[in-house]
Amino acid sequence: MAEGRFITFEGPEGAGKSSQIRLLADWLRSRGVEPLLTREPGGTPMGDRIREALFGAHDHGVTPLTEALLMSASRAQHVQELIRPALAAGRLILCDRFADATLAYQGFGHGMDLALLRELVRIATGGLRPHLTFYLDVPAEVGLQRKYAAHTQGDELNHLDRMDVAFHARVVEGYKQVMAEDPTRWRRIDAQLSFDQVQDSIRAVLERELL
Ligand code: TMP
């Protein structure tokens, strides 16, 4: 069986990744492809427990280092338990955030040492990299505004959502630097366009390059 495809989605808060991934999955199914939807932190029972520890109702005042280690622990479990077997089985995987988020958030956002984080990423992933990564591009303040608007409608805000605009601007800057290091893997989508236009742009890339 042919090796599957591992596609990840990144972007700042409020970029719309999760809703876009859900709709993309419906479209893929209508074309006879059953994608595997997953996310980080999370994606496995252990990963979900880690996610709960990081973002659960109680804010335990997590330090950046603890956060980086927990994200990496979730990733190690995810890669071994879910992603590698799914790739071996030929699946198309759509993953909401992956290792690039550790560099952008813990590295550029919190200011942690990038070399150390790259080493953590290497350990957690065993060197596995996505075949393709979509970057849903919105300015930090636009994304945050969307996030806070959704919060007034009942969506929860986690401790990272609650960081100030300067933190989120560093995250965006971080993504741009990480993208520049490996431009062939990334597909940048203007996420300030309408929801349908964003969806069409993602589909067009997949049709051209994958299906
Ligand atoms: P999301 O499911 O809304 O994207 O939330 C996940 C949060 O976790 C988001 O604020 C980004 C953050 N995150 C990191 O800080 N580092 C990581 O390695 C990952 C995967 C996520």
Side-chain angles (χ1 to χ4, degrees):
M1 186 180 295
E3 165 95 335
R5 283 285 172 266
F6 180 32
I7 300 173
T8 60
F9 294 77
E10 302 282 354
E13 309 298 338
K17 292 177 287 90
S18 315
S19 324
Q20 291 291 351
I21 291 171
R22 267 196 303 276
L23 203 65
L24 190 65
D26 290 342
W27 174 73
L28 286 165
R29 285 186 203 107
S30 76
R31 302 183 50 132
V33 177
E34 184 59 48
L36 175 68
L37 269 57
T38 187
R39 66 174 178 180
E40 286 200 353
T44 64
M46 175 54 82
D48 287 340
R49 298 292 299 272
I50 294 171
R51 188 181 180 97
E52 175 65 20
L54 276 163
F55 301 132
H58 309 287
D59 184 347
H60 300 297
V62 66
T63 69
L65 176 59
T66 303
E67 197 173 86
L69 291 169
L70 288 176
M71 297 290 181
S72 303
S74 169
R75 182 164 305 129
Q77 187 76 27
H78 195 203
V79 167
Q80 216 171 327
E81 183 179 329
L82 194 74
I83 298 178
R84 284 202 193 272
L87 279 175
R91 300 288 301 273
L92 175 65
I93 304 166
L94 304 180
C95 185
D96 192 341
R97 296 198 191 280
F98 192 60
D100 300 303
T102 294
L103 300 178
Y105 278 81
Q106 281 66 53
F108 289 84
H110 287 315
M112 283 185 70
D113 181 57
L114 286 173
L116 179 137
L117 293 173
R118 287 187 207 278
E119 186 60 9
L120 278 181
V121 164
R122 195 189 60 74
I123 293 167
T125 61
L128 179 77
R129 297 163 82 93
H131 294 101
L132 204 64
T133 301
F134 286 98
Y135 182 72
L136 270 54
D137 193 357
V138 283
E141 55 295 353
V142 173
L144 269 189
Q145 272 161 18
R146 289 183 185 172
K147 199 89 195 185
Y148 274 86
H151 178 54
T152 61
Q153 307 294 315
D155 278 15
E156 304 238 333
L157 289 179
N158 65 42
H159 70 273
L160 288 168
D161 300 326
R162 291 179 194 278
M163 296 294 284
D164 61 15
V165 183
F167 172 87
H168 292 284
R170 289 196 298 279
V171 169
V172 165
E173 197 44 48
Y175 271 124
K176 292 192 171 155
Q177 288 198 35
V178 171
M179 262 190 280
E181 287 168 12
D182 186 10
T184 54
R185 174 164 62 91
W186 291 83
R187 300 295 175 273
R188 191 165 166 166
I189 305 286
D190 181 354
Q192 290 197 86
L193 297 174
S194 74
F195 186 85
D196 289 349
Q197 284 172 309
V198 173
Q199 180 68 201
D200 287 346
S201 309
I202 298 173
R203 289 179 188 181
V205 171
L206 290 189
E207 268 191 315
R208 200 165 55 234
E209 304 189 25
L210 224 64
L211 297 176

